[in-house]
């Protein structure tokens, strides 16, 4: 397949065998097996008649492709004949079920499918409810312009709550609440939050006109091993959503506050990822160890011609851990990723004044950890030099850490990462709360996988896409001024991509 031959196809981030992928859906772990469903077009790398792809893993690293879980009905024969859009997985009296958005004629409605055989550990076959759609459209109480995507959970009394993302004509985005006793008959209970209700600080992000992919989660501080720390007490909540405006994804945001009596009371608004639209539509789930794990969709930054040549479109982020960090939502990669580390090289400690020699190891998959201390107005750059044996002479991605009067920032600049025409290469910046001096260094984690780049620091994340001509030639160069390296390592990363992958009917 053309997609499998593309040198920029990631080797340990999840992608489908070929075609188009967008939102993660239906995330759950059952009997030790992680299930990842996703928005999928197996016919080509474009968004058209979306199906639900399906893959499973026991370690969050190696994934096995399974048959497509949901397919659109034939034209005119069902409420989802234009696509089975985003949704979630729940377990109803021991039987897994999928709640999803049925797309018909440009309008979305809530639909349900149940596992045909609840004893099948792979959950291969699914049966759509003959009563679909179960929520035919938005309520009449609000001037709703957009209506889709779901967050569903079972209450302690056995009843169900469903949240749906929405946009309004005059009040911005909204998240609407429904309740049910049987997962099938739903009663509208009003919004839990509407955009016009929020009066934040002037520097807060713009929440746009529609809130897609709502995900309401309880936040507990994380223990050092990533598990919930079991401190008990009243957990804060995060209402995660993707800001969408007039057909264009903007970025993923989260209100942090408290949810009670059917309303969300926000205390602050933050970015979930500082990469803008390049980390979008996330969904999370509790694994069997009690960890809150999140996947998100990384769209392409290639133009349509580049995508068509490649034969594939869309990749998942690495699985991430979510937890509370004071009054904020914290985001970190899962510790399982370190199992993929292979060849290792230390980055020498000491002062940085100019460019150091490039790392001797190179590869399209790299994991970099670096501790940096910066004097006033100091800076350090981690250069991913894609030119191989000729550092600095060709394509490169620059990750720059600056210390200014108000603290430190991390800037990812992909503007010279690719000679390929039609690539979006906008620099993005993430502030970090550390001062960056000797007593409070910046700890940086960089995960490169051919065309995907994820940067973590201060329990924050920034996603980017890069398209070097020869990603396997990437070496690491550290440069800067008035900066010191306290500790640093570079590892190459083993591939988890299976040979012989094929499209599933």
């Amino acid at each position: 397949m053309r997609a499998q031959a593309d040198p920029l196809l990631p080797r340990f981030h999840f992608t489908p065998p070929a075609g188009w992928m967008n939102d993660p859906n239906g995330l759950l772990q059952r009997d030790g097996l992680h299930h990842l469903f996703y928005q999928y077009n197996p016919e080509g790398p474009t968004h058209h008649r979306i199906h639900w792809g399906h893959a499973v893993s026991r370690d969050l690293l190696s994934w096995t492709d399974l048959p497509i879980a949901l397919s659109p009905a034939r034209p005119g024969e069902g409420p989802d004949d234009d696509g089975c859009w985003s949704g979630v997985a729940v377990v109803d009296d021991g039987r897994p079920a999928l709640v999803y958005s049925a797309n018909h004629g440009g309008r979305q409605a809530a639909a349900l499918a149940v596992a045909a055989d609840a004893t099948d550990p792979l959950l291969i076959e699914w049966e759509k409810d003959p009563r679909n759609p179960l929520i035919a459209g938005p309520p009449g109480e609000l001037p709703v312009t957009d209506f889709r995507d779901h967050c569903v959970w079972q209450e302690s009394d056995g009843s169900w709550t469903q949240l749906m993302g929405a946009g309004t004509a005059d009040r911005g985005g909204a998240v609407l609440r429904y309740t049910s006793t049987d997962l099938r008959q739903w009663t509208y209970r009003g919004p839990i939050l509407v955009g016009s209700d929020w009066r934040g600080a002037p520097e807060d992000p713009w929440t746009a006109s529609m809130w897609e992919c709502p995900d309401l989660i309880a936040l507990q501080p994380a223990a050092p091993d990533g598990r919930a720390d079991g401190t008990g007490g009243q957990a804060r909540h995060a209402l995660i959503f993707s800001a969408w405006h007039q057909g264009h994804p903007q970025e993923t945001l989260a209100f942090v506050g408290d949810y009670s009596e059917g309303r969300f009371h926000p205390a602050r608004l933050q970015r979930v990822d500082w990469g803008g639209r390049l980390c979008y539509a996330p969904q999370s789930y509790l694994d069997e160890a009690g960890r809150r794990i999140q996947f998100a969709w990384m769209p392409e930054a290639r133009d349509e011609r580049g995508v068509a040549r490649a034969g594939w479109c869309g990749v998942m982020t690495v699985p991430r851990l979510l937890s509370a960090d004071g009054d904020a939502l914290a985001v970190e990669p899962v510790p399982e990723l370190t199992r993929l580390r292979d060849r290792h090289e230390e980055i020498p400690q000491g002062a940085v004044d100019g460019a150091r020699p490039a790392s001797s190891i190179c590869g399209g998959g790299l994991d970099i950890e670096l501790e940096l201390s910066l004097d006033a107005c100091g800076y350090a750059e981690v250069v991913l030099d894609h030119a191989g044996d000729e550092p600095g002479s060709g394509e490169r991605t620059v990750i720059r850490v600056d210390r200014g009067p108000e603290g430190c920032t991390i800037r990812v600049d992909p503007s010279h990462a690719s000679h390929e025409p039609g690539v979006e290469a906008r620099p993005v910046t993430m502030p970090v709360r550390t001062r960056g001096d000797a007593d409070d260094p910046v700890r940086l984690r960089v995960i490169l996988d051919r065309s995907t780049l994820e940067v973590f620091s201060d329990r924050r994340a920034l996603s980017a896409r890069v398209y070097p001509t020869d990603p396997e030639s990437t070496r690491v160069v550290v440069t800067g001024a008035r900066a010191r390296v306290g500790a640093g390592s570079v590892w190459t990363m083993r591939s988890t991509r299976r040979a012989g992958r094929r499209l599933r009917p």
Side-chain angles (χ1 to χ4, degrees), residues 220-224 226-227 270-272 274 321-326 328-333 430-433 443 455-462:
Q220 291 281 12
R227 298 171 184 261
Q270 69 170 83
R271 289 179 169 90
V272 176
W274 290 78
L321 287 179
L322 304 183
S323 62
D325 184 10
L329 172 68
V331 182
E332 301 170 283
M430 175 174 71
V432 290
R433 287 166 289 187
R443 293 175 175 85
V455 177
F456 298 90
S457 183
D458 190 28
R459 306 181 78 187
R460 299 181 181 187
L462 186 156

Side-chain angles (χ1 to χ4, degrees), residues 89-97 112 114 118 154 158 160 181-184:
V90 296
V91 179
D92 179 23
D93 194 24
R95 183 176 295 274
L112 179 72
V114 298
Q154 192 167 30
W160 294 89
T181 59
D182 62 0
L183 200 62
R184 288 157 179 82

Side-chain angles (χ1 to χ4, degrees), residues 237-286:
H237 295 86
L239 178 60
I240 301 169
F241 64 96
S242 292
W244 184 90
H245 188 69
Q246 297 181 356
H248 298 285
Q250 305 296 316
E251 60 181 329
T252 299
L253 305 171
F255 287 108
V256 179
D258 298 294
Y259 175 74
S260 62
E261 298 180 354
R263 293 286 294 177
F264 190 86
H265 308 280
R268 62 171 292 168
L269 177 64
Q270 69 170 83
R271 289 179 169 90
V272 176
D273 188 290
W274 290 78
R277 72 169 191 90
L278 295 178
C279 176
Y280 201 75
Q283 188 175 119
S284 70
Y285 67 109
L286 285 175

Side-chain angles (χ1 to χ4, degrees), residues 18-38:
W20 166 281
M21 180 180 71
N22 55 298
D23 307 2
N25 295 154
L27 303 178
L28 81 159
Q29 187 182 17
R30 189 168 182 260
D31 298 328
L33 204 58
H34 298 270
H35 292 260
L36 169 62
F37 299 89
Y38 54 92

Side-chain angles (χ1 to χ4, degrees), residues 2 6 8 45 300-313 420-423 467:
R2 187 168 72 253
D6 183 9
L8 290 165
E300 297 303 315
R302 287 167 156 169
D303 62 13
E304 292 182 359
R305 290 172 297 178
V307 168
R309 286 193 301 268
W312 64 280
C313 186
E420 180 178 327
V423 169
Y467 301 90

Side-chain angles (χ1 to χ4, degrees), residues 5-20:
D6 183 9
L8 290 165
L9 185 72
R11 300 172 73 233
F12 58 90
H13 285 67
F14 180 80
T15 61
W20 166 281

Side-chain angles (χ1 to χ4, degrees), residues 375-400:
D375 295 337
C377 300
Y379 76 93
E381 291 183 343
V382 180
V383 180
L384 305 178
D385 201 303
H386 310 300
D389 294 331
E390 300 180 10
S393 65
E395 298 165 318
R396 64 192 182 278
T397 302
V398 178
I399 303 164
R400 179 172 172 130

